[in-house]
Amino acid sequence: YENIRRPGLGWPHAIGYMQSSPGLPHAFHMQAHLGMRIGKWEKTTDWSSHAIELQLAYHQNQGVKPNEDWQFSHHLETLMQALIHAGRFQEARAVKAECEKHGYLQRLHWFRLHVAERDWDETLKIIDHFKKDKLMAAYLRAVFYLKKGDIERAIPEVNVLAEAYPTKKNNRDLELRLWETQGVLECARGGADGGLKLLAKTVEKTKDDYRHHAWGHGAYYMECWGIAALKANRLSVAEEAFLESLAHDAGSVRGALGMQVVCERQGRTEEALRFAELAQRCWRKADPGRLEAELQDLRGVFTTAQTKPVNGAAQ
């Protein structure tokens, strides 16, 4: 069912596999292939964690070395993605330490972890490892500076991507990375119309692409679009983007928090409270203070944003 893009149909069988084989790490891992695609975050993350517990016990009891267990790295990677998504960064750090102990280099996941927890020093250390890959390093630095709010330092990094693009138009990843970073940059510099169009293009190009829904990433570009619109105070665009985020990922905490802020700015108090409750459910097991930090970040605006109310509500 995973391969024919009907993950929901496979869910009862994933549950059955765990019930029939409660001592197998792989049984508790395999449900994540489906659960992370269909928004069952509350269950899938803890089951993936249990898979690692079973696997470590197996290594100890049977004298198996981690490098003899070829599934171990993949199971750790899967758990890492789920923990980041759930705001459980301390646990994700422990998984990172386990990976490093065995020489499993999953640096793109670690980059996402450190950006999400806003540990800028650790983020820079990860970027440092990509020096030989000029375009990847430029993309990661652009994301880093934009997230940090250091707009001027993001400009040359986005320019590196833009200069490479004309000769690499068949490079799909480069195209999306350019549109993402260039779109956010334009919004931050006061060009919200053009920037939001670019971000909308990334959504249009990926919203029906199953590859982008793998491992729960289906709402990533929608969240980027919504956050940029929110910080530019384009509330109608932000609302569209955040509702799309929640439609594509039931556990999109930024979709829920973004809608909370949109409703707050428009005086839709009851709706704001409902989205706040949804965000709490999404990150029920998140590290203390992380949800509030995310909310405060979303409440900020670009210095170029037009915030003057029009007909009683910011537009």
Side-chain angles (χ1 to χ4, degrees):
Y1 288 116
E2 176 193 8
N3 289 336
I4 64 168
R5 305 185 179 193
R6 299 295 297 278
L9 296 180
W11 188 248
H13 306 291
I15 300 296
Y17 185 18
M18 287 185 288
Q19 292 171 341
S20 69
S21 310
L24 285 184
H26 198 243
F28 285 86
H29 159 77
M30 281 305 296
Q31 55 78 29
H33 282 257
L34 306 176
M36 295 169 74
R37 287 164 163 81
I38 58 179
K40 293 188 178 294
W41 295 102
E42 179 71 15
K43 297 177 179 179
T44 193
T45 308
D46 287 339
W47 282 337
S48 290
S49 182
H50 186 55
I52 299 302
E53 292 172 359
L54 289 172
Q55 209 152 11
L56 289 172
Y58 159 65
H59 292 171
Q60 183 176 1
N61 293 340
Q62 301 296 322
V64 175
K65 296 177 181 178
N67 62 9
E68 295 173 333
D69 182 355
W70 63 270
Q71 298 181 76
F72 190 44
S73 174
H74 174 52
H75 290 192
L76 288 168
E77 172 189 32
T78 301
L79 175 58
M80 168 73 75
Q81 292 179 79
L83 290 170
I84 294 170
H85 187 283
R88 296 162 65 171
F89 302 142
Q90 291 181 15
E91 294 171 78
R93 285 261 187 161
V95 174
K96 178 188 174 186
E98 186 73 26
C99 289
E100 289 179 313
K101 183 168 71 176
H102 304 299
Y104 303 148
L105 301 179
Q106 300 173 359
R107 291 193 176 109
L108 286 178
H109 297 311
W110 302 345
F111 172 81
R112 296 294 182 192
L113 166 63
H114 297 316
V115 168
E117 63 183 356
R118 295 174 178 81
D119 187 330
W120 307 130
D121 290 339
E122 288 298 316
T123 303
L124 283 173
K125 289 178 187 177
I126 298 297
I127 295 173
D128 230 25
H129 287 284
F130 289 90
K131 284 181 177 177
K132 293 183 179 180
D133 188 340
K134 180 181 176 182
L135 294 180
M136 178 60 80
Y139 169 67
L140 296 179
R141 280 194 293 265
V143 171
F144 165 69
Y145 289 129
L146 290 168
K147 186 70 174 178
K148 195 179 177 185
D150 194 343
I151 304 305
E152 291 305 311
R153 295 186 73 178
I155 294 171
E157 308 301 339
V158 177
N159 287 343
V160 169
L161 302 178
E163 289 165 8
Y165 180 61
T167 59
K168 297 179 182 292
K169 288 190 174 180
N170 291 327
N171 186 330
R172 176 80 180 279
D173 289 332
L174 173 60
E175 181 177 70
L176 293 172
R177 288 166 183 164
L178 174 60
W179 290 352
E180 174 196 347
T181 55
Q182 198 171 52
V184 176
L185 179 61
E186 287 190 23
C187 290
R189 298 177 76 190
D193 289 341
L196 293 175
K197 284 181 181 178
L198 276 175
L199 290 166
K201 280 175 69 175
T202 66
V203 170
E204 187 63 31
K205 196 114 179 186
T206 58
K207 67 180 182 180
D208 298 322
D209 186 339
Y210 192 70
R211 182 172 67 106
H212 285 276
H213 290 263
W215 312 114
H217 298 313
Y220 175 75
Y221 289 117
M222 296 166 188
E223 291 175 353
C224 291
W225 181 32
I227 292 168
L230 187 62
K231 288 181 177 291
N233 215 41
R234 299 297 184 87
L235 299 189
S236 61
V237 177
E239 180 163 359
E240 178 184 1
F242 289 133
L243 290 177
E244 285 284 358
S245 299
L246 289 166
H248 282 76
D249 176 4
S252 172
V253 72
R254 292 171 189 86
L257 289 175
M259 279 305 304
Q260 178 184 341
V261 177
V262 167
C263 293
E264 287 173 348
R265 290 186 190 173
Q266 294 182 329
R268 297 154 57 187
T269 306
E270 187 177 338
E271 289 178 82
L273 290 173
R274 288 205 300 269
F275 283 113
E277 290 170 0
L278 175 58
Q280 289 280 353
R281 291 199 300 273
C282 290
W283 271 19
R284 186 174 66 84
K285 296 183 179 180
D287 297 344
R290 293 299 184 180
L291 188 67
E292 183 62 27
E294 203 69 36
L295 177 60
Q296 292 309 316
D297 179 72
L298 289 172
R299 282 178 171 154
V301 295
F302 294 133
T303 57
T304 56
Q306 299 296 316
T307 57
K308 183 179 178 180
V310 178
N311 296 328
Q315 298 300 304

